[in-house]
Amino acid sequence: MNLFYLRYFVTLAHIKHYTKAAEQLCISQPSLSHAIAQLEKELGIPLFEKNGRNTTLTRFGEEFLSCAEHTLSTLDEGITTLHRNARGEGLIRIGMLRPLGIEYIPRLAAGFLKANPGQDIQFTFHTGVTQYLLDGLAARKYDLVFCSQPSEEHKFTAVPIQKQNLIMITPQSHPLSAKDSVDLVETIPYPQIFFEKSAGIRNVIDQMFARTGASPKIAYETEEDQVIAGLVAQGFGIAVVPYMDILQKLNVNILQIRSPNYERAFFMVHNDCVFIPPVVQKFRQFVLDDGMMLTEEPA
C-alpha cells in the first residue's frame, strides 16, 4: 500500500474538501482524486461519499481512518527515533558488575550527559555477574558491558578500563588475623570461601592460587562479594575479595596479598557483530578518553 496515498487519505478525511486538501498537500486536485481512487480500488470499498460541496467518510472510511492514523503515527515515531539515533541521541543500555555501579559508571554517565547538553540521551543500568552480562550482550540486551575479561570463545571486543587490587579477609579470631599481609601459600591450610565459577573474578583467583602451586580448601562458593564478606565475618572461612567499604563495618581483618602479585582488571566489552548506534559509539569513546585507571584500596 502506497504510504503517500495513506497520508492523502488522512488529510482529505480531516479537511473534507478535495481542492483544499490538494492545496495543503501541495499536489493537484486530479492527483489527489487519482490517489484516493487507487486506494479505494485496492481496498475494494468506497472510503468517501459526496455531501453537498464537501466530501465525507463512509462507514468503512471512518473505520479505516483510525488504522491509517495509527499506522502513520507509528511510522513517524520510528522515523523520528532513527533521526535521533543518527544525530547521536537515544538509549544506551549498560550492563555492569555491581562494584562498578557504586561510583565508576555513574560518574561516567553523568559526565557524558554534562558533555552533551540539550541532547536526548537516556541510560538503562543492569547489574549481574560476568557470565550473565556476557550472555545478555550476546542476546543484544545490552550495548556495552563492564565486567571481567571475557574468554576468547565469546569473540567480543574487550578493552581494559579499570584495575582493582585484591585482598585477603579473615575473621578477627583467625590465626592469620594478626598479620598485615600474607602470601597466598600461607592460606592453603585454611577453609576458604570462593566466588562461584560463573563470576568473572573466580578465574582471576584460580590463576592466583595456581601460581602458588597448591590447591586451596574451598569450603563454600557463592556469587556475591558482600555475601562472602558476611560469611567470613561469621567464621565460615577466609576469602580473596576486591576491597569494599562494607569491610570496614564487619568483623573481618584485611590483609594485603604480597604474593602472587595480581590485579583484577575490569573491561568494557561490546559485540562487533552487532551495529553500534552512534550514541553508544560516542559514549564508548568518552569512556576511553576518560582514561581513569582507578585502583580501589582500603581506606
Side-chain angles (χ1 to χ4, degrees):
M1 182 169 290
N2 191 309
L3 288 175
F4 286 109
Y5 290 0
L6 277 184
R7 295 191 186 277
Y8 296 169
F9 162 73
V10 171
T11 300
L12 180 59
H14 288 293
I15 296 178
K16 301 178 181 180
H17 194 282
Y18 270 91
T19 301
K20 293 179 181 179
E23 290 175 356
Q24 181 170 318
L25 291 166
C26 298
I27 61 175
S28 66
Q29 191 272 329
S31 294
L32 176 58
S33 297
H34 174 74
I36 298 302
Q38 289 295 111
L39 192 58
E40 290 178 328
K41 180 179 179 182
E42 183 175 348
L43 294 172
I45 54 173
L47 299 172
F48 294 96
E49 57 191 5
K50 285 290 185 179
N51 185 6
R53 293 185 176 182
N54 292 330
T55 300
T56 60
L57 289 168
T58 64
R59 175 169 62 88
F60 305 110
E62 291 176 351
E63 294 177 2
F64 186 61
L65 177 61
S66 177
C67 289
E69 288 180 324
H70 178 73
T71 298
L72 292 174
S73 175
T74 301
L75 178 63
D76 290 340
E77 289 176 4
I79 292 173
T80 299
T81 298
L82 290 177
H83 284 163
R84 285 174 47 239
N85 289 330
R87 292 194 303 267
E89 300 180 351
L91 180 65
I92 304 172
R93 303 169 301 167
I94 300 294
M96 59 186 167
L97 296 175
R98 186 169 286 107
L100 295 176
I102 298 172
E103 188 275 336
Y104 182 70
I105 296 299
R107 177 181 62 79
L108 286 173
F112 185 69
L113 293 175
K114 186 177 180 180
N116 294 275
Q119 292 195 309
D120 185 8
I121 298 172
Q122 299 92 36
F123 285 90
T124 61
F125 303 100
H126 309 270
T127 59
V129 297
T130 291
Q131 189 57 54
Y132 172 85
L133 295 172
L134 294 175
D135 289 344
L137 184 64
R140 305 189 182 189
K141 293 180 180 179
Y142 312 126
D143 298 306
L144 294 173
V145 160
F146 295 81
C147 61
S148 299
Q149 185 173 17
S151 62
E152 293 183 0
E153 66 184 44
H154 287 97
K155 298 181 180 179
F156 294 146
T157 297
V159 180
I161 45 85
Q162 194 185 44
K163 63 183 180 181
Q164 181 183 56
N165 286 331
L166 299 178
I167 57 173
M168 170 66 69
I169 57 174
T170 73
Q172 290 188 341
S173 59
H174 195 272
L176 295 175
S177 62
K179 294 177 174 288
D180 293 323
S181 62
V182 67
D183 288 350
L184 277 191
V185 71
E186 299 177 63
T187 71
I188 296 300
Y190 304 105
Q192 305 209 22
I193 306 170
F194 264 50
F195 287 88
E196 289 186 350
K197 292 182 179 180
S198 61
I201 191 174
R202 171 61 181 268
N203 185 53
V204 173
I205 297 173
D206 284 345
Q207 290 182 37
M208 292 176 68
F209 276 98
R211 290 170 63 186
T212 70
S215 298
K217 296 180 179 179
I218 301 177
Y220 301 94
E221 294 182 346
T222 186
E223 61 184 14
E224 292 290 343
D225 47 12
Q226 294 184 10
V227 175
I228 291 178
L231 291 172
V232 171
Q234 294 301 318
F236 284 86
I238 62 177
V240 176
V241 295
Y243 176 76
M244 303 168 277
D245 288 337
I246 194 175
L247 296 177
Q248 301 293 339
K249 302 177 183 179
L250 297 175
N251 293 323
V252 300
N253 279 70
I254 300 173
L255 287 67
Q256 299 298 318
I257 300 174
R258 294 192 305 269
S259 176
N261 185 23
Y262 210 107
E263 289 179 340
R264 181 193 185 189
F266 292 124
F267 290 77
M268 177 171 59
V269 187
H270 73 274
N271 188 352
D272 275 329
C273 296
V274 175
F275 172 75
I276 301 177
V279 67
V280 177
Q281 295 180 23
K282 284 174 58 178
F283 180 68
R284 182 177 182 274
Q285 189 60 49
F286 181 84
V287 175
L288 296 176
D289 292 342
D290 180 73
M292 295 296 288
M293 295 290 286
L294 300 180
T295 302
E296 296 185 20
E297 297 178 346

